[in-house]
């Protein structure tokens, strides 16, 4: 694919085929992703790439604990709930997804099942967990850098025909994730990325979220045209 095709064509994938993804292909994607910029070349990121039985144990542990009411234990700060325009955008994409999946507002069971998909890593065959070096905890640059490498990763995956969705539900129960992924103590768990071959028959995969325009997002200063 050309660069523009990747950027304009990529969308979040929430339904996957059961087909495995070869390790060599993931290594190829990561080779591209780690070319992402980082503050003063600190490269704070590390990747735990999980599939098979360890991933099933994470899925099961996440869902069992959440359904049992165990408080979430994300290691990276969660911040305040969205409000105003940002909340409106959050609700907007949720409406798009529920409409695509035929989930009615009053259907609590279907809505609950949709939420649980997130804790199951959207049933993708692979989960990539991004961590950063604990000695950088508190740095403002580090989460920015991890965001850059996550963006590079999902775009590189899309260019190879793979789908992804960046999510936090999959790491809400961090003790489960840390145990079964074998995450080192010197790492802070930041984000998870579901990865696999898109199931084009899954309705939510057709959803393309809206973007604000350049006119809304950008302020040009000093230009004459």
């Amino acid at each position: 694919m050309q660069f523009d095709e990747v950027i304009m064509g990529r969308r979040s994938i929430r339904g996957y085929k059961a087909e495995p993804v070869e390790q060599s292909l993931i290594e190829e994607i990561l080779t591209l992703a780690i070319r992402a910029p980082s503050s003063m070349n600190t490269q704070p990121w590390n990747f735990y790439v999980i599939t098979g039985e360890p991933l099933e144990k994470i899925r099961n542990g996440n869902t069992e604990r959440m359904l049992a009411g165990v408080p979430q234990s994300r290691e990276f700060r969660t911040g305040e709930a969205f409000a105003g325009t940002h909340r409106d955008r959050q609700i907007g994409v949720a409406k798009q997804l529920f409409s695509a999946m035929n989930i009615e507002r009053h259907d609590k069971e279907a809505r609950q099942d949709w939420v649980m998909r997130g804790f199951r890593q959207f049933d993708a065959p692979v989960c990539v967990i991004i961590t950063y070096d604990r000695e950088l905890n508190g740095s403002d640059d580090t989460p920015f850098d991890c965001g850059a490498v996550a963006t590079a990763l999902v775009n590189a995956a899309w260019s190879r025909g793979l789908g992804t969705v960046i999510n936090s539900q999959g790491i809400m129960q961090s003790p489960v994730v840390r145990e079964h992924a074998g995450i080192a103590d010197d790492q802070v768990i930041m984000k998870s990325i579901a990865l696999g071959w898109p199931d084009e028959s899954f309705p939510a995969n057709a959803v393309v979220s809206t973007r604000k325009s350049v006119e809304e997002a950008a302020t040009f200063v000093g230009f004459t045209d």
Side-chain angles (χ1 to χ4, degrees):
M1 291 187 193
Q2 296 295 315
F3 180 78
D4 288 11
E5 292 177 309
V6 174
I7 299 301
M8 298 303 292
R10 190 208 63 81
R11 60 190 185 277
S12 293
I13 298 299
R14 296 174 173 86
Y16 296 87
K17 296 178 181 178
E19 297 174 23
V21 182
E22 292 183 4
Q23 180 176 332
S24 59
L25 180 54
I26 300 173
E27 289 174 350
E28 182 180 318
I29 289 165
L30 292 176
T31 298
L32 295 173
I34 59 179
R35 294 301 305 167
S38 64
S39 176
M40 292 169 282
N41 200 34
T42 50
Q43 303 178 59
W45 51 70
N46 285 295
F47 309 95
Y48 289 78
V49 187
I50 310 149
T51 193
E53 185 178 356
L55 182 52
E56 284 303 312
K57 289 180 177 179
I58 291 173
R59 291 195 224 275
N60 293 336
N62 272 341
T63 53
E64 288 169 6
R65 286 166 65 102
M66 294 304 295
L67 288 171
V70 177
Q72 66 94 355
S73 52
R74 271 184 62 186
E75 296 184 3
F76 183 72
R77 61 184 181 271
T78 55
E80 298 297 324
F82 294 133
T85 302
H86 305 100
R87 175 64 173 163
D88 291 342
R89 292 187 187 125
Q90 180 186 20
I91 292 172
V93 74
K95 286 181 176 178
Q96 285 182 273
L97 291 167
F98 287 154
S99 176
M101 296 300 296
N102 249 345
I103 299 174
E104 301 290 341
R105 185 178 182 85
H106 63 273
D107 192 342
K108 293 182 179 180
E109 184 176 339
R111 284 173 174 258
Q112 174 79 342
D113 180 68
W114 181 259
V115 171
M116 287 298 107
R117 287 184 62 82
F119 296 116
R120 300 197 311 264
Q121 312 284 1
F122 297 91
D123 299 325
V126 177
C127 172
V128 181
I129 296 175
I130 297 179
T131 69
Y132 61 85
D133 300 331
R134 191 177 296 278
E135 65 182 358
L136 295 172
N137 216 8
S139 163
D140 290 334
D141 288 322
T142 295
F144 185 89
D145 296 341
C146 288
V149 83
T151 300
L153 192 160
V154 300
N155 284 329
W158 189 262
S159 77
R160 299 310 195 260
L162 287 161
T164 61
V165 60
I166 302 172
N167 68 93
S168 296
Q169 300 102 310
I171 54 170
M172 285 294 193
Q173 297 291 340
S174 60
V176 171
V177 177
R178 189 171 283 280
E179 176 186 356
H180 296 300
I183 296 175
D185 290 339
D186 65 355
Q187 296 298 298
V188 176
I189 299 171
M190 183 166 195
K191 279 286 184 183
S192 60
I193 301 176
L195 181 147
W197 302 106
D199 178 359
E200 298 299 344
S201 68
F202 191 75
N205 287 347
V207 170
V208 178
S209 56
T210 60
R211 293 292 187 272
K212 58 184 178 180
S213 67
V214 172
E215 288 76 16
E216 292 175 285
T219 300
F220 291 91
V221 180
F223 292 83
T224 58
D225 56 347

